[in-house]
Amino acid sequence: MIDRDRSVVDKVILSGALVGGAGLLLPVFIVKEHRLDAGFPVSFAGMSLPLFFSALALLIAIAVVGVLPGLRRRSRNLPAVLAALGLFALLWAGTGISGAAELAEYGFERGRVSPSSGFWIVLLAILIVVTHSVKQSTSVWLRGCVPLAFVATLVVLFVGGVIDDLAFVREYYTREDRFVRELTAHIGIAAGAVAAAVAVGVPTGIVAYRIRSLERPLFAVVNGVQTIPSLALFGLMIAPLALISQRFPVLRELGIRGVGNTPALLALFLYALLPIVRNTYTSLAVMDPAVIHAGTGMGMTRRQLMWQVEVPISLPIILAGVRVSIVQTIGNTTVAALIGAGGLGNFVFQGLGQAAPDLIVMGVIPIVILALLADRIFQLISEWAVPGPKRGTA
Amino acid sequence: MGGTGAEARYSVIEFENVSKHYGSTVALDDVSFTVPDGTVSVLIGPSGCGKSTSLKLVNRLLEPTDGYVRVDGTPVREFPPQILRRGIGYVIQSVGLLPHMTVEENIGLVPKLLGRHKRDRSRRAGELLDLIGLSPDEYRNKYPIQLSGGEAQRVGVARALAADPPILLMDEPFGAVDPLNRETLQQEFISIQRKLRKTVIFVTHDLDEAVRVADRIVLMRDGKVVQTGAPEEILGAPANDFVREFVGSDRALKRLARFIVGDFMIDAPSVDRGARLDWNEYRDFEVVYVTDDHRRLLGAAPRNGRAEVSSAGDAMDDALVGAVSLGSTLRDALAEILNTELAETPVVDEHGHLVGRITMTEIYSATPRRIV
Ligand SMILES: Nc1ncnc2c1ncn2[C@@H]1O[C@H](COP(=O)(O)OP(=O)(O)OP(=O)(O)O)[C@@H](O)[C@H]1O
Ligand SMILES: [Mg+2]
């Protein structure tokens, strides 16, 4: 399959390049005098011609990689990924620098630069090219490091002050302390929910496998939870918990209330369960009975069998479930802000309330980065933890 | 039990009136047989007749419903199961290599359970890979999914041998291999067994395999033992119609596979390639073999009604070069005879030296006949 893909034009990469080309013609950012100003748009060409042509050159390079299979086979699409990384840096740095220049030129001291359609479309193009290339790649290195390289680029630009005048960075600087608090809360809530889900989900998966009669009811419950929209589930948690906490003042003093962290953790925990329970169950169901037979026949004790055979064989599948759980929970935690749990979702909903898209973006970007980092780091951990022929040969 | 080289290796396995029921299914019904020390007993019979069940009773993966299974006179139920199993090599029907371990780690499994040092396990794995004909350098660090079915089965056998147990239980150890490789593996097993002298119960439903590797055959049907005996006994004197049908109408042919050419061959007439061939000297022979200076077989010179003297080299027919080796069976010899235009086949040793010949008379002499 991969061979056929490589022998012809890579349509996905090509269309990524075309999307990016279209983005180059649209306004990149809007210069505003103040937060609520409608502002005026600036295009790539308007920013600076060298910048425009560099971006165009990088897009053409990506398109060429998409058309010439020879370039893709040996280096596993690395040229396209590198060009996309260059474009990414160019986009952010260019917007930051020329945005600052525009503000200075017009003397907008409290002004700001809001990325516009061109910015987002080029970003989308980069996303298309990179996810496609990385997905096709068999190299652990590439799959693990490429997303991290993008995050690192952004962090460097941010720390270097290059993108300080971007609207959502401005939003960040006006509420730096709160940001750190909400970020910590976000991580804490998500980690707590996933940790609880692992603690409960793995044994549940084992029980579902071992006790046939419980398999269907258990899966009915965890599957059922997934079908409830997250907002509704958070809502559903409020009433019973409020009731319980009224009945039992002791619990109330422990912080268990209808709103806040408790219902959020509970709901997120329930969501996080399914991938873990399902993968634990699957890891046992697909285990070759011959392996257990052999282990027992060699003279392993029940405990040796568990730690030397069952756990190592099922671990990779369970870890994959935990990874899905983590990424999903980081996203869902955003919604938890609605019932007062805190987290980066607070910025998103505040932004929605004030019709301030910059504030929304400020909340969303770190969530995306968190999810991406968690996903990659976990992927790397599982690949190192799992023995077996290293991928790339398969 | 236990099984380090220094101990006495006396290990008899006995089944005494053993029955095994799974609920209402009777898997074994009053089974008795003995596997003498250092010999191979093959359990054979149709699918579902209780072969695997019998093996599992020996290492206590199952407990008998009735009767005793004994090792060296002690009922196995008196050994703690884990200790017992570590002293018995077990090759399971479906191989069962652990997918998360390398070949070396798989082979080192039982030694590790016995607390052997990593360095010793690694050296032992190397020895065993050599023994089963896989290059240690190449295979040591492979994972089971990187092996072919036949290679995996060899590793399964190596794993069973790793702790040098006195007893081996082998459940269709070569079941997943194509016929050609299967025969090679059987040959290897025979030569390994000749060196190691384990007490082996070997399960198969391939009669040819049984005839090749067995010292004794235990023929089973529906959980009962139908006949036990040396392969030539079972093939030569089937106890009843079931056995007769099971061993097949070609049982005489199969029986030939029990006899080694070296035990039956007679002297072969030969002349040097450069010498004169005077047919008057070989009046009683239809064929004279031509050899080189070192008595290596070059070919055969058939008489074809000739009586004159000629050079041996000229009389030799290049096409007639087939031969069997000393260790081949009479069945191979018969096949070779039928292959050539001659009514006999020469026998050579491992260096290609002519050492004798087999004619139809020798073949007949190994076959029980009422009228000779
Ligand atoms: N765990 C079990 N529960 C119930 N019946 C069983 C069980 N294991 C085996 N049996 C039955 O016991 C009988 C003997 O089984 P066994 O596995 O010993 O056969 P076998 O001779 O090894 O067959 P095969 O050549 O197919 O491997 C069969 O009828 C089988 O269906
Ligand atoms: Mg069986």
Side-chain angles (χ1 to χ4, degrees), chain B residues 102-116:
Chain B
T102 61
V103 164
E104 174 171 317
E105 288 164 341
N106 265 289
I107 295 177
L109 210 62
V110 180
K112 188 174 174 199
L113 294 175
L114 292 169
R116 306 261 163 85

Side-chain angles (χ1 to χ4, degrees), chain B residues 133-256:
Chain B
L134 298 178
S135 142
D137 292 338
E138 191 182 335
Y139 285 90
R140 204 183 268 287
N141 295 318
K142 285 198 174 187
Y143 282 87
I145 56 162
Q146 297 170 304
L147 302 177
S148 73
E151 289 165 348
Q153 288 204 315
R154 286 169 192 233
V155 174
V157 172
R159 179 173 67 177
L161 288 169
D164 201 18
I167 295 176
L168 273 185
L169 308 175
M170 309 176 83
D171 200 343
E172 303 198 23
F174 311 133
V177 193
D178 62 275
L180 210 69
N181 280 309
R182 191 165 216 212
E183 208 161 308
T184 318
L185 286 179
Q186 290 159 358
Q187 295 297 347
E188 278 168 16
F189 169 74
I190 292 167
S191 71
I192 291 172
Q193 168 63 6
R194 220 169 266 148
K195 273 181 255 167
L196 302 180
R197 288 280 160 217
K198 307 281 182 196
T199 303
V200 184
I201 306 188
F202 187 114
V203 167
T204 182
H205 46 228
D206 173 357
L207 187 64
D208 287 318
E209 180 166 84
V211 168
R212 231 171 257 135
V213 304
D215 293 307
R216 296 176 66 78
I217 285 180
V218 178
L219 181 56
M220 298 177 66
R221 178 199 193 182
D222 295 341
K224 292 193 182 66
V225 173
V226 185
Q227 187 175 3
T228 61
E232 49 273 33
E233 283 166 33
I234 291 193
L235 293 168
N240 59 30
D241 286 345
F242 168 75
V243 183
R244 217 182 320 278
E245 196 180 325
F246 187 82
V247 299
S249 50
D250 59 345
R251 62 180 185 275
L253 207 52
K254 291 193 168 100
R255 197 166 168 278
L256 285 178

